[in-house]
Amino acid sequence: MTSSSQKPSLAIGVVGHGFMGKAHALAWRVVDQVFSLPVHPELAVIAGRDKVRARVAATELGFREATDDWRHLVARDDIDVVDICTPVSLHAAIAEAALAAGKHVLCEKPLAMNRAEATALALAASEARRRGKLAMVGYNYRRVPALQLARRFCLDGRIGELRHARARYLQDWLSDADAPWSWRLDVAEAGAGALADLGSHLIDLVHHITGRRLVEVHGSVQTFVDARPAAPGSDNAGNKHVRVTVDDACAFIGRSGDGLLATFEVTRCAIGRKNQLLLELDGTKGSIAFNLERLNELQLYDGSGPSDARGFRTIVVTEPAHPYLSGWWPPGHTLGWDDTFVHQARDFVLAASDGQPCAPDFTDGLYVQAVIEAIQTSAAEGGWQRIDEPARAQERTRHGRDSRRVRSVEAGR
Amino acid sequence: MTSSSQKPSLAIGVVGHGFMGKAHALAWRVVDQVFSLPVHPELAVIAGRDKVRARVAATELGFREATDDWRHLVARDDIDVVDICTPVSLHAAIAEAALAAGKHVLCEKPLAMNRAEATALALAASEARRRGKLAMVGYNYRRVPALQLARRFCLDGRIGELRHARARYLQDWLSDADAPWSWRLDVAEAGAGALADLGSHLIDLVHHITGRRLVEVHGSVQTFVDARPAAPGSDNAGNKHVRVTVDDACAFIGRSGDGLLATFEVTRCAIGRKNQLLLELDGTKGSIAFNLERLNELQLYDGSGPSDARGFRTIVVTEPAHPYLSGWWPPGHTLGWDDTFVHQARDFVLAASDGQPCAPDFTDGLYVQAVIEAIQTSAAEGGWQRIDEPARAQERTRHGRDSRRVRSVEAGR
Amino acid sequence: MTSSSQKPSLAIGVVGHGFMGKAHALAWRVVDQVFSLPVHPELAVIAGRDKVRARVAATELGFREATDDWRHLVARDDIDVVDICTPVSLHAAIAEAALAAGKHVLCEKPLAMNRAEATALALAASEARRRGKLAMVGYNYRRVPALQLARRFCLDGRIGELRHARARYLQDWLSDADAPWSWRLDVAEAGAGALADLGSHLIDLVHHITGRRLVEVHGSVQTFVDARPAAPGSDNAGNKHVRVTVDDACAFIGRSGDGLLATFEVTRCAIGRKNQLLLELDGTKGSIAFNLERLNELQLYDGSGPSDARGFRTIVVTEPAHPYLSGWWPPGHTLGWDDTFVHQARDFVLAASDGQPCAPDFTDGLYVQAVIEAIQTSAAEGGWQRIDEPARAQERTRHGRDSRRVRSVEAGR
Amino acid sequence: MTSSSQKPSLAIGVVGHGFMGKAHALAWRVVDQVFSLPVHPELAVIAGRDKVRARVAATELGFREATDDWRHLVARDDIDVVDICTPVSLHAAIAEAALAAGKHVLCEKPLAMNRAEATALALAASEARRRGKLAMVGYNYRRVPALQLARRFCLDGRIGELRHARARYLQDWLSDADAPWSWRLDVAEAGAGALADLGSHLIDLVHHITGRRLVEVHGSVQTFVDARPAAPGSDNAGNKHVRVTVDDACAFIGRSGDGLLATFEVTRCAIGRKNQLLLELDGTKGSIAFNLERLNELQLYDGSGPSDARGFRTIVVTEPAHPYLSGWWPPGHTLGWDDTFVHQARDFVLAASDGQPCAPDFTDGLYVQAVIEAIQTSAAEGGWQRIDEPARAQERTRHGRDSRRVRSVEAGR
């Protein structure tokens, strides 16, 4: 007997086939097998700057077609979703074109080069929304089951009123002063360094998990190594060293309007820390702690119960009762980093198929951009910087969102 | 431009679509995207006992066709690989038929119901080998990068001569006396309980990683709950309780001929331990420790160097220098439990495409079966039991294997 | 104003001034400052084999007097407590003499060279008990607050009915084949090796914490290094190597009469494990785990409550509600290994001052000896060995003890 | 034979018999037993505000005499050392009087209420130094063996040039809004809250371990609970609530002049964190991490060696090669929090007996005070605050100190 799926399909066009392009492609490929979705995503077209490399990527990653012109991909009628996995400097142009062309858009983080770009994108997304089109930012760590569980505990009042948030994201790939230059170190392509790449995740996560926004920040940025050797084979390979025009590290302190004291640190120079995203939340009744290097675990301290039996418990987040886990394996069979993209793809496909919104939307992306810009101003000029307007804009959005179905929280229920 | 892969393909037929069937299917589906193999595996046919459920599984898991008769699948000319994911009681019949039909065979663990069955299978595999056909047992934990790294350290002499192996595999899904009965608790389908299901992994891993076999064992089995409620909707659902005819837990001590003292414990009743496979190896120069619940980490103690700076180090096994990692993500981006099946599929496809052998073969599977049977005898009759003949048979095999390319070790180099 | 304590004092005579002698001396010295006892222990006399070294020890450790003859110490009227910190071979003679002389006795573990000696001592202690004299064995790990808390959880039914005990004690001071010979490697002085030294602690702890005794055991001993260089300056220093006549390592499996499966492993050759005593107890409702290298922590898994929030919690055992902690510091201010001797001294002094018994008594010590002897028999002859008679003798004792005040449990309440 | 120590003695007078008084008293009592010092400290006099309570304390803690007037204690000819364990507001008066009276002084941390007081004290100490008298601040965490080892690794160049310091000290005793008021919450007695109590330790440790001082800081303080119930039995017990006039929490960022980015956070409201002092140092070659709740462990990442075997190693800091450990137990036998005071007492006695200086001196204490004041200014006024003058004063001192014997580093060698 022949198996024939009668499901409608959703044609995916991915722009970019680097690290993120591959992660997204694998996710689109398996998501329907894992979760049995109502709509089947198809790997339709992949775009890259170079014709030959795009074709190789298409073969390796399983796309039907390749192109060296993202405008061509965006313009095609047979593409439903434009998935943007390029350097940050291209996000705005591609996303605006794709929204204008009536596509659903998934854009890698951070959304834009700066707040102005993000503001324009949020407006475009808001219009597209009226036409039933999604615009989502790829803050994939929202889809770590343990972090989604952290959000559940926060919003359920499990840890009481929040007092402290402690967030840091440490990597070490730039520890070595001879690590080669890349586009991520060029302010013109990346917008900023660790602050934009890693800090954006933290800002988004604290917002998402706690439901609170920062209203003022103070920060400091630092570049430990000013210039780096050009990568072998790169355009700059003739130059001995290329200037680094972004931050290697950034520390900042933020305050919400209602008593939360939040500390942040990001760096690409913490030798030994491969991908350590730590998040701790201390409330009046309990605390939560998370480490991305052990992404299947969530620490919870419950301040109630007998005083001789309290302690941080390590929840192995692989139970059917945990977010996203119903599609996977029996308890104790762990997930990997890239499965967050499978969850992201699932939520995106479900939203696309039923016309519901899906967070983080471009307004959420704009909020992150506003905070980044405030930190940059503080680092340059000193003192606290307020994050006024986006906060006001957001406020309205947030109230609106509270009443709608939030996909990701329900995921694992 | 259209992407068209010119790769030859390898048609996969999977028998069984439960937990293991799904894990294998996902692996076959993405392995070529991750590793860019010379041969492209295709999800051809899936077989199940029930026609309707097999068809649903085919749709969900992405197979072209479904069948309710594994004999039909095995008999087809257009199937290259028979992948056996059924209860243990069916392994021997399917594997023998598939080998006889000239297929490559991947068989889930443990290989067989007992040593006699395994002996016959090892013989059949040995004949198939001469015709260039693979027969591999699905001890997927050999493909955990951290455990492959442990093997590298062992075989490189990094920890010196081995004195202690300490292995345990603890789960808790039978802790609750009301957890429902399943085929895994029926000696006629599963052969044994925790000993076969979990113990087989430990026996295989100690053998694989250390290169040593046990020559005598002593053990004890225990069943904490004698009968369990029939699963809702099962054939037995009329009965109030169904008898448990296998062990819930087993502890055993083993000795190699050359000074290794090895301790083992497996259970399905260690409440709170979701999937804790611990392995510790202590040598004269260093020690290794591993925990499957944190499968991206390997602990290493190096007894050399300044005495004020020694300690167990936690290696985050996600570097390009680590086994299997070259196909994946940058350092610190972790893998999940199911990625071990992707690695298994990779090694299988590579071996199938170049005609090389691939461990663990059916002789390795027979060794595990012989140890299990010795433990069962010891538990029933008391005292030490020797594991004579398979050891001798193995000896020859092992020497033979030493000179051949061992796929898995080279994986990440 | 002058401070003058009106407390009665308790004169302590310690036999032996090695590692254990120093640990006991410090404990006797500070216990009254920590806990404000009704009776003040005084460091009266210390005995050693050599006159000069005993005098130096007295000065360093703060004793009023020194002697090179333990018989002299035992015979003195002004000594209330004889505290035995000698090699095992001397325990019986000193303890019997001290009990006969009407002293309270604290004897280091293991109690005796073998079961016969221990039986005689238990009888002598039982007679002394009638005259109001204490005889206690120095199983100091009973006084680790975290382990006392583990006992509380066990006896309160917090983890339900016990199924698994998993105990191991790993050290590495004999990993190096050139580590020098000492009396601890001489069967004539030590009775046995790792089995007696480390195994005795585990046997006692499982008994103490769970309230259950093993009724049969099976085990295996191993000596990795047969002969070792004589220690520089020792009597044997002329010999190039001295024979090791005890075990380096031992593994055994035990069963209680009522369904507990217990596994044990001890070694002095697990390189990197400095003093790792692990104890895990799995019941029907919860589990406990402990590691002596982190002695201020106890792990507890509580199987009740919402299924999305279960996990092993790390209790930092430094709260007022925890055993023994009321005398110490605010929460989070940790204790050290040697503080277990302070707790032991506290319980001993309190019992001596109010005439109550104090566990572990010599019958508890006899039980441990009986298990050790059964393991040795099993290791020599193979198969399970029953531990019959001491268990019966104990049964009576245990019922008797149940009704009396158990000092250590109340300690921290 | 009678033991009679011919050692000279050092008469200790302790002012204050609360938490710190007890910790110091126990340390003075056992230090000579642990380390066999050339001079024997004697518990001579203890002073408290109340006559009766001082007498009770003398009895419990083993002092010869008690007084309710610290001026009396300071004035006595038979007191060699004045050890100040009072609320911060009394430090300056007692220390100045004691130095003027020619005593050695050990003063609890923080040294003073503010920078002005500390400046005067540093001057007085400097004069006393010329007369051979010690003035040391009780930053006891310098004497944690693991932190002393961290300093060794830093100063030996083991981790290369420093880029990041990450320090935090979290407690939770004020998490509960109903936790009672105490003098520590009164700015007039304590000077500041978590910033002074906990932050001072972090500022001192980063300075001590890295050898670097902060030259500018930016910070934020927060008080989560404005008023608290008076403690039962206190002077304020009539009032329903007493105002809290200090900070509950503080976060700050600091920069050294030479490229170090340091982040700090302290709080008494991080529920579940009992006494978590974390310190992480990332250099160009390696990293270090420490957690006071596991004070016997130090984490070290060594960036050299084969890339497949790098990781943070957990050094169990109990080897003879480790600082302070030679006086204690065999490897793996852990120390407790209070043993840091024994080490402090040891270093103090050795310095007193040979006339050498002993860090942290009052100039070190002044540096901490200057940083605290800069943070307070920043918190009140915003922006970065420089720590100018003390840094200059220190600079001279530091160069002077580099050539002298630094006691604590040599401790464990």
Side-chain angles (χ1 to χ4, degrees), chain C residues 265-283:
Chain C
E265 183 172 353
V266 295
T267 182
R268 292 159 165 174
C269 292
I271 192 167
R273 303 300 180 186
K274 298 305 170 184
N275 201 29
Q276 191 194 50
L277 187 166
L278 291 185
L279 184 64
E280 298 184 4
L281 302 170
D282 305 329

PDB file of all heavy atoms in Angstrom, chain C residues 265-283:
ATOM      1  N   GLU C 265      30.560  -0.741  46.829  1.00  0.00           N
ATOM      2  CA  GLU C 265      31.900  -0.823  46.247  1.00  0.00           C
ATOM      3  C   GLU C 265      32.828   0.069  47.040  1.00  0.00           C
ATOM      4  O   GLU C 265      32.495   1.207  47.355  1.00  0.00           O
ATOM      5  CB  GLU C 265      31.875  -0.385  44.776  1.00  0.00           C
ATOM      6  CG  GLU C 265      33.226  -0.529  44.123  1.00  0.00           C
ATOM      7  CD  GLU C 265      33.188  -0.282  42.615  1.00  0.00           C
ATOM      8  OE1 GLU C 265      32.087  -0.124  42.056  1.00  0.00           O
ATOM      9  OE2 GLU C 265      34.270  -0.223  42.016  1.00  0.00           O
ATOM     10  N   VAL C 266      33.989  -0.466  47.361  1.00  0.00           N
ATOM     11  CA  VAL C 266      35.005   0.337  48.062  1.00  0.00           C
ATOM     12  C   VAL C 266      36.351   0.101  47.388  1.00  0.00           C
ATOM     13  O   VAL C 266      36.630  -0.978  46.882  1.00  0.00           O
ATOM     14  CB  VAL C 266      35.120  -0.030  49.556  1.00  0.00           C
ATOM     15  CG1 VAL C 266      33.844   0.319  50.295  1.00  0.00           C
ATOM     16  CG2 VAL C 266      35.453  -1.511  49.750  1.00  0.00           C
ATOM     17  N   THR C 267      37.153   1.139  47.385  1.00  0.00           N
ATOM     18  CA  THR C 267      38.484   0.989  46.803  1.00  0.00           C
ATOM     19  C   THR C 267      39.400   2.103  47.283  1.00  0.00           C
ATOM     20  O   THR C 267      38.928   3.170  47.675  1.00  0.00           O
ATOM     21  CB  THR C 267      38.439   1.021  45.259  1.00  0.00           C
ATOM     22  OG1 THR C 267      39.764   0.818  44.747  1.00  0.00           O
ATOM     23  CG2 THR C 267      37.932   2.361  44.731  1.00  0.00           C
ATOM     24  N   ARG C 268      40.673   1.811  47.259  1.00  0.00           N
ATOM     25  CA  ARG C 268      41.688   2.838  47.519  1.00  0.00           C
ATOM     26  C   ARG C 268      42.444   3.150  46.230  1.00  0.00           C
ATOM     27  O   ARG C 268      43.499   3.774  46.280  1.00  0.00           O
ATOM     28  CB  ARG C 268      42.657   2.329  48.582  1.00  0.00           C
ATOM     29  CG  ARG C 268      42.028   2.183  49.968  1.00  0.00           C
ATOM     30  CD  ARG C 268      42.824   1.230  50.853  1.00  0.00           C
ATOM     31  NE  ARG C 268      42.455   1.352  52.258  1.00  0.00           N
ATOM     32  CZ  ARG C 268      42.918   0.563  53.217  1.00  0.00           C
ATOM     33  NH1 ARG C 268      43.770  -0.427  52.929  1.00  0.00           N
ATOM     34  NH2 ARG C 268      42.559   0.746  54.468  1.00  0.00           N
ATOM     35  N   CYS C 269      41.925   2.711  45.106  1.00  0.00           N
ATOM     36  CA  CYS C 269      42.629   2.837  43.828  1.00  0.00           C
ATOM     37  C   CYS C 269      41.782   3.497  42.747  1.00  0.00           C
ATOM     38  O   CYS C 269      41.989   3.233  41.562  1.00  0.00           O
ATOM     39  CB  CYS C 269      43.083   1.466  43.352  1.00  0.00           C
ATOM     40  SG  CYS C 269      44.382   0.749  44.382  1.00  0.00           S
ATOM     41  N   ALA C 270      40.838   4.349  43.124  1.00  0.00           N
ATOM     42  CA  ALA C 270      40.027   5.041  42.109  1.00  0.00           C
ATOM     43  C   ALA C 270      40.626   6.427  41.921  1.00  0.00           C
ATOM     44  O   ALA C 270      40.201   7.398  42.552  1.00  0.00           O
ATOM     45  CB  ALA C 270      38.572   5.126  42.556  1.00  0.00           C
ATOM     46  N   ILE C 271      41.584   6.502  41.040  1.00  0.00           N
ATOM     47  CA  ILE C 271      42.360   7.740  40.918  1.00  0.00           C
ATOM     48  C   ILE C 271      41.450   8.935  40.654  1.00  0.00           C
ATOM     49  O   ILE C 271      40.558   8.889  39.804  1.00  0.00           O
ATOM     50  CB  ILE C 271      43.459   7.580  39.838  1.00  0.00           C
ATOM     51  CG1 ILE C 271      44.436   8.747  39.916  1.00  0.00           C
ATOM     52  CG2 ILE C 271      42.881   7.407  38.466  1.00  0.00           C
ATOM     53  CD1 ILE C 271      45.708   8.522  39.114  1.00  0.00           C
ATOM     54  N   GLY C 272      41.675   9.984  41.431  1.00  0.00           N
ATOM     55  CA  GLY C 272      40.869  11.194  41.301  1.00  0.00           C
ATOM     56  C   GLY C 272      39.757  11.292  42.340  1.00  0.00           C
ATOM     57  O   GLY C 272      39.268  12.380  42.628  1.00  0.00           O
ATOM     58  N   ARG C 273      39.371  10.181  42.909  1.00  0.00           N
ATOM     59  CA  ARG C 273      38.333  10.182  43.945  1.00  0.00           C
ATOM     60  C   ARG C 273      39.046  10.274  45.285  1.00  0.00           C
ATOM     61  O   ARG C 273      39.624   9.293  45.760  1.00  0.00           O
ATOM     62  CB  ARG C 273      37.490   8.907  43.881  1.00  0.00           C
ATOM     63  CG  ARG C 273      36.831   8.652  42.536  1.00  0.00           C
ATOM     64  CD  ARG C 273      35.903   9.775  42.129  1.00  0.00           C
ATOM     65  NE  ARG C 273      35.276   9.508  40.830  1.00  0.00           N
ATOM     66  CZ  ARG C 273      34.499  10.387  40.192  1.00  0.00           C
ATOM     67  NH1 ARG C 273      34.270  11.579  40.715  1.00  0.00           N
ATOM     68  NH2 ARG C 273      33.962  10.093  39.030  1.00  0.00           N
ATOM     69  N   LYS C 274      39.020  11.440  45.881  1.00  0.00           N
ATOM     70  CA  LYS C 274      39.815  11.666  47.075  1.00  0.00           C
ATOM     71  C   LYS C 274      39.181  11.052  48.310  1.00  0.00           C
ATOM     72  O   LYS C 274      39.863  10.462  49.141  1.00  0.00           O
ATOM     73  CB  LYS C 274      40.011  13.176  47.275  1.00  0.00           C
ATOM     74  CG  LYS C 274      40.759  13.833  46.121  1.00  0.00           C
ATOM     75  CD  LYS C 274      42.093  13.149  45.887  1.00  0.00           C
ATOM     76  CE  LYS C 274      42.763  13.610  44.615  1.00  0.00           C
ATOM     77  NZ  LYS C 274      44.007  12.868  44.353  1.00  0.00           N
ATOM     78  N   ASN C 275      37.908  11.211  48.433  1.00  0.00           N
ATOM     79  CA  ASN C 275      37.225  10.701  49.625  1.00  0.00           C
ATOM     80  C   ASN C 275      35.742  10.663  49.313  1.00  0.00           C
ATOM     81  O   ASN C 275      34.937  11.239  50.011  1.00  0.00           O
ATOM     82  CB  ASN C 275      37.495  11.643  50.814  1.00  0.00           C
ATOM     83  CG  ASN C 275      37.276  10.956  52.149  1.00  0.00           C
ATOM     84  OD1 ASN C 275      37.448   9.747  52.281  1.00  0.00           O
ATOM     85  ND2 ASN C 275      36.885  11.727  53.150  1.00  0.00           N
ATOM     86  N   GLN C 276      35.428   9.957  48.257  1.00  0.00           N
ATOM     87  CA  GLN C 276      34.066  10.004  47.747  1.00  0.00           C
ATOM     88  C   GLN C 276      33.206   8.879  48.314  1.00  0.00           C
ATOM     89  O   GLN C 276      33.197   7.766  47.798  1.00  0.00           O
ATOM     90  CB  GLN C 276      34.073   9.928  46.224  1.00  0.00           C
ATOM     91  CG  GLN C 276      32.691  10.257  45.656  1.00  0.00           C
ATOM     92  CD  GLN C 276      32.544   9.882  44.214  1.00  0.00           C
ATOM     93  OE1 GLN C 276      32.857   8.773  43.829  1.00  0.00           O
ATOM     94  NE2 GLN C 276      32.060  10.802  43.410  1.00  0.00           N
ATOM     95  N   LEU C 277      32.497   9.203  49.358  1.00  0.00           N
ATOM     96  CA  LEU C 277      31.509   8.272  49.899  1.00  0.00           C
ATOM     97  C   LEU C 277      30.156   8.691  49.328  1.00  0.00           C
ATOM     98  O   LEU C 277      29.643   9.759  49.643  1.00  0.00           O
ATOM     99  CB  LEU C 277      31.520   8.356  51.433  1.00  0.00           C
ATOM    100  CG  LEU C 277      30.678   7.351  52.214  1.00  0.00           C
ATOM    101  CD1 LEU C 277      31.075   7.370  53.684  1.00  0.00           C
ATOM    102  CD2 LEU C 277      29.186   7.592  52.087  1.00  0.00           C
ATOM    103  N   LEU C 278      29.625   7.847  48.468  1.00  0.00           N
ATOM    104  CA  LEU C 278      28.305   8.113  47.884  1.00  0.00           C
ATOM    105  C   LEU C 278      27.292   7.173  48.500  1.00  0.00           C
ATOM    106  O   LEU C 278      27.565   5.987  48.668  1.00  0.00           O
ATOM    107  CB  LEU C 278      28.310   7.850  46.384  1.00  0.00           C
ATOM    108  CG  LEU C 278      29.085   8.767  45.466  1.00  0.00           C
ATOM    109  CD1 LEU C 278      28.827   8.358  44.008  1.00  0.00           C
ATOM    110  CD2 LEU C 278      28.693  10.209  45.660  1.00  0.00           C
ATOM    111  N   LEU C 279      26.124   7.699  48.785  1.00  0.00           N
ATOM    112  CA  LEU C 279      25.048   6.853  49.279  1.00  0.00           C
ATOM    113  C   LEU C 279      23.761   7.275  48.600  1.00  0.00           C
ATOM    114  O   LEU C 279      23.413   8.459  48.602  1.00  0.00           O
ATOM    115  CB  LEU C 279      24.914   7.008  50.798  1.00  0.00           C
ATOM    116  CG  LEU C 279      23.882   6.099  51.443  1.00  0.00           C
ATOM    117  CD1 LEU C 279      24.252   4.634  51.288  1.00  0.00           C
ATOM    118  CD2 LEU C 279      23.761   6.437  52.934  1.00  0.00           C
ATOM    119  N   GLU C 280      23.084   6.321  48.004  1.00  0.00           N
ATOM    120  CA  GLU C 280      21.810   6.608  47.350  1.00  0.00           C
ATOM    121  C   GLU C 280      20.764   5.602  47.821  1.00  0.00           C
ATOM    122  O   GLU C 280      21.045   4.405  47.913  1.00  0.00           O
ATOM    123  CB  GLU C 280      21.945   6.501  45.827  1.00  0.00           C
ATOM    124  CG  GLU C 280      22.926   7.504  45.263  1.00  0.00           C
ATOM    125  CD  GLU C 280      22.993   7.469  43.744  1.00  0.00           C
ATOM    126  OE1 GLU C 280      22.223   6.707  43.138  1.00  0.00           O
ATOM    127  OE2 GLU C 280      23.823   8.195  43.183  1.00  0.00           O
ATOM    128  N   LEU C 281      19.594   6.108  48.105  1.00  0.00           N
ATOM    129  CA  LEU C 281      18.502   5.264  48.576  1.00  0.00           C
ATOM    130  C   LEU C 281      17.277   5.567  47.745  1.00  0.00           C
ATOM    131  O   LEU C 281      16.853   6.725  47.673  1.00  0.00           O
ATOM    132  CB  LEU C 281      18.214   5.572  50.051  1.00  0.00           C
ATOM    133  CG  LEU C 281      19.400   5.379  51.003  1.00  0.00           C
ATOM    134  CD1 LEU C 281      19.072   5.950  52.381  1.00  0.00           C
ATOM    135  CD2 LEU C 281      19.762   3.905  51.113  1.00  0.00           C
ATOM    136  N   ASP C 282      16.736   4.553  47.098  1.00  0.00           N
ATOM    137  CA  ASP C 282      15.547   4.751  46.264  1.00  0.00           C
ATOM    138  C   ASP C 282      14.368   4.027  46.887  1.00  0.00           C
ATOM    139  O   ASP C 282      14.413   2.799  47.077  1.00  0.00           O
ATOM    140  CB  ASP C 282      15.762   4.178  44.859  1.00  0.00           C
ATOM    141  CG  ASP C 282      17.001   4.729  44.186  1.00  0.00           C
ATOM    142  OD1 ASP C 282      17.371   5.879  44.458  1.00  0.00           O
ATOM    143  OD2 ASP C 282      17.597   3.985  43.382  1.00  0.00           O
ATOM    144  N   GLY C 283      13.321   4.752  47.189  1.00  0.00           N
ATOM    145  CA  GLY C 283      12.120   4.153  47.755  1.00  0.00           C
ATOM    146  C   GLY C 283      10.963   4.227  46.787  1.00  0.00           C
ATOM    147  O   GLY C 283      11.123   4.625  45.625  1.00  0.00           O
TER     148      GLY C 283
END
